[in-house]
Amino acid sequence: MNTALSWIRAYVPDLDVAPQEFADAMTLSGSKVENYTRFDKNLEKIVVGQITKIERHPNADKLIICQVDIGTETIQIVTGAPNVNEGDKVPVVLDGGKVAGGHDGGPMPEDGIRIKKGKLRGVESNGMMCSIEELGSSRDMYPDAPELGIYILPQDTPVGADAVEVLGLHDVVFEYEITSNRVDCYSVVGLAREAAATFGKPFYPPEIKKSGNDEDIRDYLQVSVEDPQLCPRYSARMVKNIRLAPSPEWMQRRLAASGIRPINNIVDITNYVMEEYGQPMHAFDYDLLAGHRIVVKCAKDGDEFQTLDGQMRKLDHDILMINDGEKEVGIAGIMGGENSKITDQIKTVVFEGACFDGTNIHLSAKRLGLRTEASGKYEKGLDPNTAYEAINRACQLVEELDAGDVVGGIIDIYPQKREPARIHFDADRINALLGTDIDAETMKGYFAKIDLGFDETTQEVIAPTFRQDLKCLADLAEEVARFYGYDNIPTTLPSGEAVTGQLSERQEIENLVSEVAEFCGFSQSMSYSFESPKVFDKLLIPADSPLRQAIEIQNPLGEDFSIMRTLSLNGLLSSLSTNYNRRNKNVKLYEMANVYLPKALPLTELPDERGQLTLGMYGEGDFFTMKGVIEAIFEKLGLKKKVHYDPSCDRPYLHPGRKADIVYNKKVIGYLGEVHPDVRDNYRIGERAYLAVLDMPMVTKFISFDHKYSELAKYPAVTRDISMVVPRSVLVGQIEDILAQRGGKMLESYQLFDVYEGAQILAGFKSVAYSITFRAKDHTLTDDEVAATMKKILNGLQGLGIKLREQ
């Protein structure tokens, strides 16, 4: 975004600052100035002179001798310019003065060119008459300048005046780097508002006056919008009896300073309003609009359209088009068509001031390979309320420049009006965010400077629709900070866990789990959170399973990355498969993976994002090896109650006879088991593999690091071994529950040391043997005490159909 300081001053007339001061202050207040260019750089001692007499040079056919009146005296200048005549008024650089460059239009020297009096072919010359290029400018800025020769000033220019000032070269063009969220600053009005607030000066936006005759545009033109989502507002006005002519000098200069070549008054008005308001406009030849209609709708796949640059563009059903009653006449928000362009024969013009969906414009321009000044503004998301102001401003300029007769009325299709945003104001929270102590009234003063309203009743800041970046309290804090001055905010130490080097509770838990897993020989693995829907078939997930209700990614890299995972197994199994097929033996991997479980589809709120500790292995080890790792993790995390394993779990990707839900405090907190043979085949793993998954949010609920000291035992332990015949349906965990319940305070530990099934045991039974240790803290146990406790245990075991094994 390039803008001349003189244009800014048109709306902030009291702004009187040096270029560097302006650049520094605007950058600090949020409108970053990349660099600036002074038009009067290296221009010194240049005045308006009038040629009073011209004589031929006695020693050179192509040189002439001019007597030039500079107001205080008449000086003699020798020149070879072919276009000067007696009476012409020209810019003259005096002896000792400086110009920006040479007459050949080549690169300008950094320090300019110093002019000194001397002799040309023996004749004294006391200065130099200047071309526009020697003044550091170009014919884009001054279209009336000759291609070769001296620039001729108007006859009413005062002799002896400052020629640099007369030419408007005491000006500076600033180049801004505007962030995409500040769409309002892609306009001169927006930057002028920022400048006024930055320097504490009054801001006077353009005063838009009513324009148009007594006619009604609706008698001439019909407009319809078939896709209001892509075109939330479409405004149109009409100008008859077009009188094409060059734009006034002030408009040409402002456009040229912004990098836009002046063409004629109508085209220049649309470009001027685009720069002034940041609202692109387009002009159609009314007589070329079939049926005198405008229809806004999407193109059809395969359509072709010739744009103003003469290129044929292939269209599709997502590209929004401007149509007349029969054909397309423009690509909405990007470029008009060759079939409706403005020519010198135009009589009636239709001005378009519309708001189009920024995302659609961006995607359309990208597909077409056609990015324009207009599309660059539209794709940032414009304020639809600005379109109305801009089109009325254009018609006002038409009347002021006498470029045509404005037809009364406006066609304005705006079904859903955008209202100002309301943000709750809390001065204390803003100060807490910034580390400042600014009173509420000062903050409100900052808001008022940038046209933000304030509702004292509700204590809300009212953000105009052109400030689409203001959505929450943090945005208000930013506004306060930039006008209070970032350099005025005191230095304070930041607070919070992250800056003091502390880990969050979740990070500490994950680190502990990782330590145990790695101690047990597992290596960390990482995989993507997005995967293919085909994963569910590989894992044998039923068609009606809720796990298949996954979140689809809007713009996936491909089908293999098109959904967010609801299970953490695919990534780890894929890694195990890669290792197996590369002939790596005894592989153990773990991953801290997130799964994403939607609460409803389509999404109405953020999904349940749950961390899952997933372990997988093949090679050495079995189901019980994995079970031991899980229990080591639980011990490290301080889960003090006994963990149960429920073999009736419904996990289709696990082996039917070698799987279990992990149950703690009657809550399922995970599962483990051998991978189902069919799943192994799907992942090309050629030997038994084992998995375990812990749902970390559930596990975290039961974690305790409240460790208590126990003194060393003073009294001896008593050990009893017990061998039992147990029905095969009874789990060892059930036996241990009886031992724990009935052993009482004397029970110190128990250890399973034998499980046997064979010919010596009845069919349907197994032999199970435990070593049980008893100890009292305050005395030596007697045989009677131990015998009484053992009797309780045996009575409990009998309830499970267990009998003591006969020796």
Side-chain angles (χ1 to χ4, degrees):
M1 181 74 190
N2 294 347
T3 303
L5 183 58
S6 59
W7 201 346
I8 298 289
R9 284 176 174 153
Y11 313 124
V12 192
D14 296 339
L15 187 62
D16 185 17
V17 292
Q20 190 62 53
E21 181 186 356
F22 181 87
D24 292 342
M26 290 293 284
T27 298
L28 282 175
S29 68
S31 304
K32 183 181 179 183
V33 176
E34 282 287 288
N35 52 60
Y36 62 85
T37 301
R38 287 176 48 201
F39 286 164
D40 59 359
K41 181 181 179 182
N42 295 324
L43 300 182
E44 298 177 9
K45 297 179 69 175
I46 302 175
V47 300
V48 176
Q50 185 170 26
I51 302 173
T52 59
K53 185 178 180 181
I54 298 178
E55 298 176 313
R56 298 186 64 84
H57 194 292
N59 302 320
D61 293 339
K62 294 185 179 181
L63 296 179
I64 58 176
I65 304 170
C66 300
Q67 302 300 321
V68 183
D69 179 11
I70 60 171
T72 57
E73 61 178 316
T74 297
I75 62 174
Q76 180 172 285
I77 297 176
V78 178
T79 181
N83 67 318
V84 293
N85 298 289
E86 291 183 358
D88 285 347
K89 293 183 177 180
V90 296
V92 176
V93 56
L94 305 177
D95 176 36
K98 189 186 284 189
V99 292
H103 66 278
D104 57 357
M108 289 184 287
E110 181 64 27
D111 296 325
I113 299 173
R114 183 72 65 182
I115 302 300
K116 296 182 180 180
K117 66 180 179 179
K119 291 185 178 182
L120 289 176
R121 291 291 188 94
V123 176
E124 185 174 333
S125 182
N126 296 312
M128 184 181 77
M129 294 179 285
C130 304
S131 68
I132 203 66
E133 289 78 15
E134 287 166 329
L135 295 174
S137 193
S138 68
R139 296 181 68 215
D140 286 337
M141 288 281 288
Y142 298 86
D144 57 333
E147 186 173 356
L148 294 171
I150 305 303
Y151 185 77
I152 309 301
L153 294 165
Q155 278 299 310
D156 59 354
T157 308
V159 174
D162 181 354
V164 177
E165 183 175 353
V166 168
L167 289 167
L169 291 175
H170 286 310
D171 202 357
V172 188
V173 170
F174 293 91
E175 179 184 348
Y176 300 88
E177 181 185 335
I178 307 297
T179 55
S180 57
N181 67 322
R182 288 302 307 273
V183 183
D184 59 303
C185 287
Y186 283 90
S187 67
V188 180
V189 169
L191 288 171
R193 181 185 294 107
E194 290 292 307
T198 299
F199 292 97
K201 304 295 184 181
F203 170 59
Y204 302 97
E207 183 181 351
I208 301 176
K209 300 176 182 178
K210 183 178 180 181
S211 57
N213 57 25
D214 294 334
E215 296 180 284
D216 189 344
I217 186 176
R218 293 174 181 81
D219 296 334
Y220 293 90
L221 183 70
Q222 291 181 330
V223 178
S224 61
V225 177
E226 295 188 6
D227 196 333
Q229 294 299 318
L230 298 183
C231 179
R233 188 171 199 173
Y234 193 97
S235 302
R237 294 201 69 178
M238 183 185 296
V239 180
K240 300 194 305 181
N241 304 321
I242 295 298
R243 296 179 281 278
L244 289 181
S247 301
E249 183 180 280
W250 60 267
M251 180 176 284
Q252 292 187 33
R253 302 273 172 82
R254 289 178 180 179
L255 289 175
S258 298
I260 299 174
R261 183 173 62 88
I263 297 175
N264 59 51
N265 49 9
I266 295 298
V267 175
D268 291 354
I269 284 171
T270 62
N271 287 331
Y272 185 86
V273 172
M274 178 175 70
E275 292 300 302
E276 186 176 45
Y277 279 89
Q279 170 64 51
M281 292 187 61
H282 189 68
F284 297 103
D285 187 334
Y286 173 75
D287 294 325
L288 298 179
L289 295 176
H292 294 159
R293 293 183 59 206
I294 290 178
V295 181
V296 184
K297 63 180 181 180
C298 287
K300 296 178 182 177
D301 290 331
D303 284 355
E304 292 189 343
F305 179 70
Q306 187 176 23
T307 48
L308 280 171
D309 58 2
Q311 300 293 315
M312 292 298 296
R313 310 286 177 178
K314 291 186 178 180
L315 310 176
D316 60 51
H317 66 278
D318 288 324
I319 296 178
L320 190 67
M321 301 295 294
I322 309 299
N323 305 260
D324 61 15
E326 298 175 356
K327 61 187 179 301
E328 294 111 339
V329 294
I331 305 176
I334 301 177
M335 185 177 283
E338 183 75 17
N339 55 12
S340 63
K341 68 178 182 180
I342 301 298
T343 65
D344 291 344
Q345 288 73 41
I346 190 169
K347 296 179 181 178
T348 306
V349 69
V350 174
F351 281 139
E352 168 193 277
C355 183
F356 302 112
D357 178 73
T359 302
N360 179 264
I361 296 298
H362 172 72
L363 295 175
S364 298
K366 189 175 181 180
R367 288 198 300 276
L368 293 169
L370 179 62
R371 195 169 188 272
T372 61
E373 182 79 11
S375 70
K377 291 182 182 295
Y378 274 122
E379 67 187 20
K380 295 175 177 63
L382 299 184
D383 174 18
N385 292 328
T386 303
Y388 185 84
E389 296 181 40
I391 198 169
N392 287 329
R393 171 66 167 162
C395 289
Q396 176 188 353
L397 289 171
V398 167
E399 291 188 342
E400 290 179 357
L401 304 186
D402 193 29
D405 301 326
V406 179
V407 175
I410 181 172
I411 295 176
D412 186 27
I413 300 175
Y414 192 17
Q416 189 170 354
K417 184 178 181 181
R418 181 174 295 179
E419 300 293 341
R422 286 177 167 264
I423 307 166
H424 180 69
F425 174 68
D426 188 334
D428 292 337
R429 286 189 61 194
I430 290 175
N431 280 320
L433 281 170
L434 300 179
T436 55
D437 186 18
I438 307 170
D439 63 86
E441 293 306 314
T442 301
M443 293 184 187
K444 294 176 188 178
Y446 296 149
F447 299 150
K449 289 200 300 184
I450 49 176
D451 291 345
L452 304 186
F454 191 81
D455 189 332
E456 293 287 352
T457 305
T458 61
Q459 288 294 296
E460 290 176 318
V461 174
I462 304 171
T465 53
F466 63 77
R467 287 301 305 271
Q468 301 176 50
D469 59 308
L470 300 182
K471 299 176 181 178
C472 61
L473 188 73
D475 297 326
L476 296 183
E478 182 180 5
E479 298 302 298
V480 171
R482 65 194 187 96
F483 289 114
Y484 178 70
Y486 293 109
D487 52 337
N488 294 325
I489 296 177
T491 302
T492 56
L493 290 175
S495 59
E497 292 179 345
V499 295
T500 55
Q502 296 179 2
L503 298 177
S504 67
E505 181 184 20
R506 175 177 175 175
Q507 290 173 320
E508 288 182 344
I509 292 170
E510 289 180 357
N511 285 349
L512 286 174
V513 170
S514 297
E515 284 179 12
V516 177
E518 290 167 9
F519 178 79
C520 295
F522 286 76
S523 299
Q524 187 169 17
S525 171
M526 296 185 70
S527 59
Y528 290 118
S529 293
F530 33 87
E531 55 193 18
S532 170
K534 298 176 183 176
V535 166
F536 299 124
D537 294 332
K538 292 177 72 174
L539 292 172
L540 310 181
I541 303 298
D544 59 350
S545 172
L547 293 174
R548 287 183 177 265
Q549 304 302 311
I551 302 165
E552 295 185 2
I553 299 171
Q554 288 186 346
N555 298 301
L557 298 174
E559 184 185 8
D560 289 344
F561 304 98
S562 60
I563 62 170
M564 301 301 293
R565 64 186 174 193
T566 57
L567 278 167
S568 60
L569 303 179
N570 176 66
L572 201 68
L573 286 171
S574 297
S575 297
L576 290 176
S577 173
T578 300
N579 278 274
Y580 179 81
N581 287 286
R582 292 180 180 175
R583 300 184 180 180
N584 292 328
K585 298 180 179 180
N586 304 320
V587 175
K588 297 179 178 180
L589 299 175
Y590 79 95
E591 180 180 5
M592 297 298 300
N594 284 344
V595 297
Y596 304 85
L597 307 176
K599 299 171 185 176
L601 287 177
L603 287 177
T604 56
E605 56 181 316
L606 292 175
D608 186 10
E609 184 175 341
R610 304 186 71 82
Q612 310 279 291
L613 171 64
T614 309
L615 302 104
M617 70 179 190
Y618 67 80
E620 292 182 358
D622 55 16
F623 177 94
F624 297 102
T625 304
M626 185 68 82
K627 177 173 174 285
V629 175
I630 294 298
E631 291 180 347
I633 291 172
F634 287 163
E635 182 179 359
K636 187 72 173 179
L637 295 179
L639 274 67
K640 297 179 179 179
K641 293 185 178 180
K642 181 175 175 57
V643 178
H644 293 82
Y645 299 89
D646 182 2
S648 63
C649 73
D650 183 18
R651 312 279 178 181
Y653 35 83
L654 297 180
H655 191 292
R658 302 176 188 132
K659 61 181 178 179
D661 277 340
I662 302 171
V663 182
Y664 185 85
N665 201 28
K666 299 182 180 180
K667 301 287 186 182
V668 176
I669 60 174
Y671 57 88
L672 78 160
E674 182 181 328
V675 178
H676 194 288
D678 291 344
V679 174
R680 285 206 332 260
D681 291 343
N682 290 338
Y683 283 92
R684 299 173 57 222
I685 301 173
E687 61 179 281
R688 289 184 176 184
Y690 300 89
L691 292 171
V693 175
L694 292 179
D695 184 68
M696 293 309 295
M698 286 295 296
V699 172
T700 302
K701 294 179 181 179
F702 304 115
I703 290 175
S704 172
F705 297 115
D706 184 17
H707 301 295
K708 293 184 179 180
Y709 165 75
S710 295
E711 62 181 353
L712 294 175
K714 297 179 181 179
Y715 301 96
V718 178
T719 303
R720 295 286 187 269
D721 291 344
I722 181 173
S723 181
M724 300 166 284
V725 177
V726 182
R728 290 187 61 187
S729 60
V730 175
L731 303 176
V732 166
Q734 293 174 277
I735 296 174
E736 292 179 354
D737 286 343
I738 296 296
L739 296 178
Q741 293 170 8
R742 304 239 171 175
K745 294 182 179 180
M746 291 193 310
L747 179 67
E748 184 176 76
S749 64
Y750 48 81
Q751 182 68 44
L752 175 69
F753 66 86
D754 183 54
V755 178
Y756 172 75
E757 292 183 59
Q760 299 178 10
I761 305 299
L762 291 173
F765 287 81
K766 58 187 173 183
S767 173
V768 177
Y770 272 90
S771 178
I772 306 173
T773 302
F774 299 96
R775 192 194 305 266
K777 293 182 179 181
D778 54 356
H779 66 282
T780 300
L781 291 174
T782 64
D783 289 341
D784 292 339
E785 289 177 301
V786 174
T789 301
M790 285 297 299
K791 184 176 181 180
K792 291 180 182 178
I793 291 173
L794 294 174
N795 289 338
L797 294 173
Q798 288 176 1
L800 297 175
I802 296 173
K803 298 179 181 179
L804 290 178
R805 184 178 176 186
E806 296 179 1
Q807 300 297 325

